[in-house]
Amino acid sequence: MRNGKKQIGIIVPAYNESQNIQEFCRAVLAVIEDLSRFDWKIIFVDDGSQDNTWEVVCDQTRFDPRLSGIRLSRNFGKEVALTAGAMAIQEADALIFIDADLQHPPELIPKLLAEWEKGFQVVITKRLAIRYSLVRKIGSALFHFLINRFSEVKLEPGTTDFRLLDRKVLNVLRTFRERTRFFRGLIDWMGFRRSCVTFSAPDRTGGNSSFNLRRLVSMAIHSFTSFSLLPLQLTGILGILTLAFTSLLLSYMVMAHYILGYTMFTALAYFVVFNTLLFGVVLAGLGLVAHYIGQIHVEVIDRPLYIIQDQIGIEHTERLNADLRIPSTY
Ligand code: UDP
Ligand code: MG
């Protein structure tokens, strides 16, 4: 709260967006013109752009004191850029995260705020239709299916990083220490009172999307492994299945030979089955090791065990949350 007004921050990650910044500023400033009941702060996070994004940002800040920027020393990726922005404005009552390429319509900002004023602490946005390539569409559908089926966090397809987060949510988010982070996943994992606003995404106005297939796949793998131990557990399951199957087979072969007197199994057959059994033992052992690694993984990412949303008769909830650095379980 400043001059009796609530402060709203807008975080804009920008990577090679020099062509879009000016237009973006014009659009956002026009929208917030009618929202003077809030105190505004817009911060660009130049994520190590190779073009003159930073110079354009600096130019813009000269015209309007509400505009500001930080520049990362190299390209750290959008997820990190968003976090850097959230760390840069600590005093805001709410933050809005929005892309610089105008694919997240600034005209939606009043709607996000209206939801926030109704008491929602996380206002997410959902994109109705978007012209992505077929590969990206299929990839996205597969990713959402896997993550919703096999991990604790539920992600809705079509939801974007264009979000409003209340101060309380931000204070918890700032305590997260994990290095490979998936911003949307973390927010969905946190819970809180949530609301959703829909919009249809326009095409990019200038520049190119910096998310190529390799980058998207790598992000999908990161997000999957940070919310699910399934890939590790599968190894062990495969080992146990192999072990069970080969022990049965071997017992049958031995019984058939000694009790029923069958002589159809050659030494090589015994060798192959025995060898596969040993393979099963190794895989099952790996699964066990994977389980320990999983435990370490959970400890190391150090997510809070739970998050307190409200309290009565107790102060310092935010500190309570921050101090609760007990590992979460999956
Ligand atoms: N971005 C970023 N760092 C990166 C890649 C992208 O800060 O390494 C920013 C980019 O400038 C844009 C937003 O993240 O504001 C979304 O990127 P993009 O439009 O390339 O992704 P898409 O809309 O295709 O998902
Ligand atoms: Mg975009």
Side-chain angles (χ1 to χ4, degrees):
M1 194 91 74
R2 242 169 58 183
N3 339 316
K5 289 179 176 179
K6 290 209 166 156
Q7 197 183 22
I8 312 290
I10 300 185
I11 310 293
V12 196
Y15 177 59
N16 297 342
E17 299 283 7
S18 56
Q19 296 181 37
N20 294 326
I21 303 274
Q22 215 173 342
E23 178 61 18
F24 175 86
C25 289
R26 199 198 51 71
V28 168
L29 292 175
V31 168
I32 66 176
E33 207 56 51
D34 302 331
L35 295 164
S36 53
R37 63 181 191 281
F38 297 111
D39 191 37
W40 291 92
K41 189 98 196 136
I42 300 162
I43 179 157
F44 288 94
V45 184
D46 176 4
D47 185 15
S49 300
Q50 280 118 30
D51 66 356
N52 60 338
T53 297
W54 182 244
E55 285 70 31
V56 180
V57 167
C58 293
D59 263 358
Q60 295 294 316
T61 57
R62 276 192 271 281
F63 297 125
D64 197 312
R66 291 170 296 186
L67 298 171
S68 58
I70 52 174
R71 185 186 199 178
L72 303 186
S73 59
R74 65 167 171 86
N75 180 239
F76 283 90
K78 182 181 180 184
E79 314 296 312
V80 176
L82 291 173
T83 309
M87 298 306 275
I89 318 185
Q90 303 257 349
E91 66 282 5
D93 293 290
L95 287 185
I96 295 171
F97 299 85
I98 183 168
D99 283 1
D101 57 8
L102 291 167
Q103 283 190 302
H104 295 162
E107 302 75 55
L108 219 62
I109 290 177
K111 270 198 191 166
L112 298 187
L113 285 168
E115 293 298 296
W116 179 59
E117 287 182 309
K118 279 186 210 158
F120 291 106
Q121 294 158 307
V122 176
V123 187
I124 60 173
T125 62
K126 196 168 166 184
R127 197 168 34 196
L128 286 181
I130 184 133
R131 276 184 267 160
Y132 279 143
S133 68
L134 189 65
V135 176
R136 189 160 168 179
K137 271 189 191 151
I138 294 175
S140 161
L142 187 70
F143 169 70
H144 283 99
F145 170 76
L146 287 175
I147 204 149
N148 285 335
R149 182 83 182 69
F150 297 112
S151 79
E152 184 198 9
V153 66
K154 296 285 167 263
L155 295 183
E156 233 187 287
T159 56
T160 70
D161 283 326
F162 184 20
R163 292 172 174 219
L164 178 147
L165 301 184
D166 181 74
R167 182 191 201 108
K168 240 180 204 169
V169 183
L170 290 161
N171 282 336
V172 180
L173 190 68
R174 289 189 189 108
T175 67
F176 280 41
R177 294 279 172 271
E178 53 203 276
R179 305 192 60 84
T180 40
R181 42 178 67 214
F182 173 44
F183 208 70
R184 246 178 329 131
L186 285 182
I187 297 169
D188 290 348
W189 178 86
M190 283 200 288
F192 286 102
R193 282 196 297 278
R194 304 159 63 86
S195 170
C196 182
V197 171
T198 50
F199 72 97
S200 44
D203 283 341
R204 231 174 193 282
T205 44
N208 291 316
S209 167
S210 37
F211 285 90
N212 55 28
L213 194 63
R214 193 179 58 79
R215 213 163 161 168
L216 283 172
V217 168
S218 127
M219 208 174 97
I221 292 174
H222 274 322
S223 17
F224 198 70
T225 51
S226 64
F227 283 104
S228 165
L229 290 178
L230 182 82
L232 289 180
Q233 287 159 346
L234 278 182
T235 330
I237 294 172
L238 187 68
I240 291 169
L241 288 180
T242 316
L243 200 58
F245 178 70
T246 47
S247 340
L248 282 179
L249 192 62
L250 203 62
S251 325
Y252 168 75
M253 285 163 76
V254 171
M255 263 178 11
H257 182 81
Y258 288 106
I259 300 173
L260 306 174
Y262 291 174
T263 50
M264 63 207 187
F265 303 116
T266 60
L268 183 66
Y270 282 105
F271 177 75
V272 168
V273 174
F274 188 64
N275 215 21
T276 317
L277 184 130
L278 288 184
F279 190 58
V281 173
V282 173
L283 274 189
L286 264 184
L288 200 65
V289 174
H291 190 72
Y292 287 107
I293 296 177
Q295 294 290 331
I296 298 170
H297 175 73
V298 168
E299 300 276 345
V300 168
I301 61 171
D302 199 17
R303 249 179 237 164
L305 182 64
Y306 54 81
I307 302 162
I308 298 167
Q309 175 163 326
D310 290 310
Q311 87 280 4
I312 188 155
I314 303 172
E315 285 173 16
H316 308 304
T317 316
E318 274 133 26
R319 255 205 54 228
L320 268 180
N321 273 325
D323 289 347
L324 264 172
R325 306 222 54 78
I326 312 167
S328 74
T329 47
Y330 281 78

